[in-house]
Amino acid sequence: MKAKELQDLIDFIAKSGLNKVNIETEEFKINITRDASQKVSYVAAPAAHAPVAAPAAAAVSAPAAAPQAPSAPAAAAAPAAEGGNYQAIKAPMIGTFYRSASPESPAFVNVGDEVKKGQVICIIEAMKLFNEIEAEVSGKIVKVMVDNASPVEYDQALFMIDPS
């Protein structure tokens, strides 16, 4: 099944209001069950609208943006300047970032925590599937780059880690 066909199927099921769908062909079998008490909502990706607005905004506010431009790279270089060789742990997918398994649970990791390679550090929810994200390297968490329950883009930095 192609990605477009799968997306069309998901859209159809979401719009139909069905709580249970079973589809079986010679190639695959899909069973989808949805909790009727949950509300399904779709959030448009913020990046989808940014390219349209960015050129117009850049043309109008180019003089105002020029003084701010040097400070942005300086802010990005600040973690390295603080004496650390920090590495970013990045989002492997788009979705919603969660620091803990549930609102009542403590965060998987906090600033200052030592983590080991393969340790679960957060969850990214994508299409009602909760994906555990593991640390790619061992080290100490020095900064959390994303707020809890915020949307994240593919390859966006989630945590800064000091691997030393």
Side-chain angles (χ1 to χ4, degrees), residues 99 107-114 140-145 159-160:
R99 294 192 60 198
F108 288 110
V109 294
N110 292 303
V111 173
D113 288 354
E114 291 286 333
K140 183 177 179 180
I141 300 291
V142 293
K143 186 168 184 181
V144 179
M145 306 295 289
F159 297 93
M160 295 303 288

Side-chain angles (χ1 to χ4, degrees), residues 7-25:
Q7 184 62 45
D8 291 342
L9 176 63
I10 292 168
D11 291 341
F12 171 76
I13 293 169
K15 290 176 184 174
S16 71
L18 296 173
N19 292 329
K20 187 172 184 179
V21 176
N22 296 321
I23 299 173
E24 188 171 339
T25 68

